[in-house]
Amino acid sequence: MTEKLLQYLWNYKIFKYFDFKDIEGNSVEIIQFGKWNKDAGPDFLDAKIKVNNLVLAGNIELHIRSSDWIFHNHSQDPNYQNIILHVVFQHDIEITELNHKGISTLELKDYIDENILWKYENLINGNQFIACENIFNKEKIPINFHEGNILKKLEEKSLELEERLIHHKNNFEAVLFHSLAYSFGLKVNAHIFRQIAESLDYNIINKIRQNPLQFESLLFGISGWLENPEDGQMKIWKREFEFLKVKFNISDLKFRPKFLRLRPPNFPTIRLSQLADLYRQQNLFSKIMDAENLNELYEVFKSVKASEYWDFHFNFGTISKVQPKVLSKDFIDLVILNTVLPLKYTYHKYHSEEIADKIMTFYRNIPAEKNSVTQGWKNLGLSITNAIESQSLIYHHKNSCEEKNCLTCSIGFKLLKES
């Protein structure tokens, strides 16, 4: 038993029966269980009880043991002066102060189904893919579970984007560039790519974006790759970088992307070249923000490819089999899910009531991601058919399952409640 679980059971009124009696044998009727207070002070506020035909209104404090009242130093705390009931899992000592004030102590040990305690103990101590794996039942997934998770994720992403917008003087185009750079970096280089993007004044990007040679030179130079040219093309990039560095007063700071544990198509050399090519498009921001359907977004990305040098290279100076480095469909979907849709939601949410529904439609039309997390859910019998489901389950796994937040999980609530 934990205090958090005890509060959970009290809040959701999960008891075998409700004919409560305090430790003196007096009948205790709970008229109002109170509002769960997750800040400082008593655990439940604005409660109402009836003891020996006397109705009392005030706050209720919960503890694992009666002695916790003393250990938590509540006696001298003015926040606990309006307590009308002390609820404990186990009564171990008399609290003289409460007795003198006529405050009843209610011991819950016999009112709680032991099966719930067993379930919770197994949940928080298990090492499975999800804590409730042994008792998981897909029928317990609530209606609109996935839509709720996606909206939560969108709101969280939107708050992050709004903070970045404040920092960058509400320049949506700059924030789009930084966000796209982050996505093109994937997990290994996401933060480094964003640092590269944010190290540049976006006005510089606007001035050179139509010149792919200069744009590549700038990105490669800031990455520290042009210091010792290995072939003629590298010398050209270096010359252009040195020119841009002087022209725009670019600092000597270098951000060095990583190659370790990456498949060649995901090498940072390829991804930065593709990012530069993406920005050759006119009105890129408008195209993305105004796109009404998935096909219009695919049109933005499907023709993007690394420059000609990379047709027969993956890294500098080393020739490889000729292969144009275009964006794969899976990569485009990833960029749309992680960057485009959150920014579209943020851009439109204050002046379009339908934007949430429109964004949901995009999610529904994108295939489900395939990774270890979605496979873990599939192993539990779930059918994952589109991105609204895969993104929801990935989000839920990260924020609820990995953190063992079973008491705030809508699935865990149903599983725990049922004996």
Side-chain angles (χ1 to χ4, degrees), residues 51-276:
V51 182
N52 291 332
N53 294 319
L54 179 64
V55 175
L56 302 170
N59 304 324
I60 295 175
E61 179 67 4
L62 276 66
H63 287 125
I64 301 301
R65 298 176 182 81
S66 303
S67 54
D68 288 339
W69 178 274
I70 298 171
F71 296 142
H72 294 175
N73 298 313
H74 291 329
S75 298
Q76 307 304 319
D77 191 332
N79 291 316
Y80 294 85
Q81 297 307 303
N82 193 27
I83 296 296
I84 58 172
L85 182 66
H86 188 209
V87 178
V88 301
F89 177 71
Q90 182 178 5
H91 179 60
D92 58 344
I93 64 169
E94 296 289 333
I95 306 297
T96 306
E97 170 196 353
L98 298 180
N99 290 341
H100 287 166
K101 292 181 178 180
I103 298 172
S104 296
T105 296
L106 171 62
E107 184 182 56
L108 289 178
K109 183 173 58 175
D110 295 332
Y111 294 91
I112 297 173
D113 189 339
E114 290 185 1
N115 189 43
I116 291 176
L117 303 183
W118 176 83
K119 282 183 181 179
Y120 182 69
E121 187 73 21
N122 278 275
L123 291 181
I124 61 174
N125 292 327
N127 293 312
Q128 302 97 327
F129 166 67
I130 58 173
C132 62
E133 186 169 313
N134 294 333
I135 57 173
F136 179 78
N137 181 350
K138 64 181 180 180
E139 302 302 324
K140 302 304 177 187
I141 297 178
I143 297 173
N144 297 324
F145 173 80
H146 298 308
E147 290 80 359
N149 279 337
I150 295 299
L151 283 174
K152 278 190 255 182
K153 179 177 180 178
L154 282 171
E155 277 300 324
E156 288 175 10
K157 288 274 191 180
S158 185
L159 289 174
E160 292 176 14
L161 288 167
E162 286 172 352
E163 288 181 9
R164 292 188 175 277
L165 283 164
I166 291 171
H167 182 71
H168 295 284
K169 300 178 181 178
N170 213 37
N171 189 334
F172 269 93
E173 292 197 48
V175 171
L176 173 63
F177 176 56
H178 305 156
S179 300
L180 285 170
Y182 185 87
S183 275
F184 271 66
L186 298 171
K187 284 186 179 180
V188 173
N189 287 307
H191 292 285
I192 297 174
F193 274 27
R194 182 152 66 194
Q195 286 177 325
I196 291 172
E198 290 184 341
S199 71
L200 296 165
D201 187 324
Y202 189 70
N203 289 326
I204 298 175
I205 305 302
N206 264 335
K207 289 175 181 176
I208 68 169
R209 58 189 291 178
Q210 297 302 313
N211 187 327
L213 174 64
Q214 287 193 336
F215 203 168
E216 274 189 302
S217 301
L218 186 58
L219 296 176
F220 295 161
I222 294 174
S223 299
W225 292 331
L226 303 178
E227 293 161 352
N228 299 297
E230 298 180 36
D231 56 32
Q233 182 60 54
M234 288 188 72
K235 290 176 182 177
I236 294 172
W237 278 324
K238 181 176 182 179
R239 183 190 67 209
E240 289 294 326
F241 176 63
E242 295 297 340
F243 167 74
L244 294 171
K245 188 176 174 184
V246 173
K247 180 177 180 180
F248 296 114
N249 194 27
I250 295 170
S251 77
D252 292 326
L253 195 60
K254 298 291 187 292
F255 304 91
R256 301 182 185 275
K258 303 171 185 176
F259 289 80
L260 190 64
R261 293 190 297 276
L262 285 172
R263 293 172 55 246
N266 289 329
F267 277 3
T269 46
I270 307 301
R271 293 306 184 197
L272 284 178
S273 180
Q274 291 167 336
L275 180 63

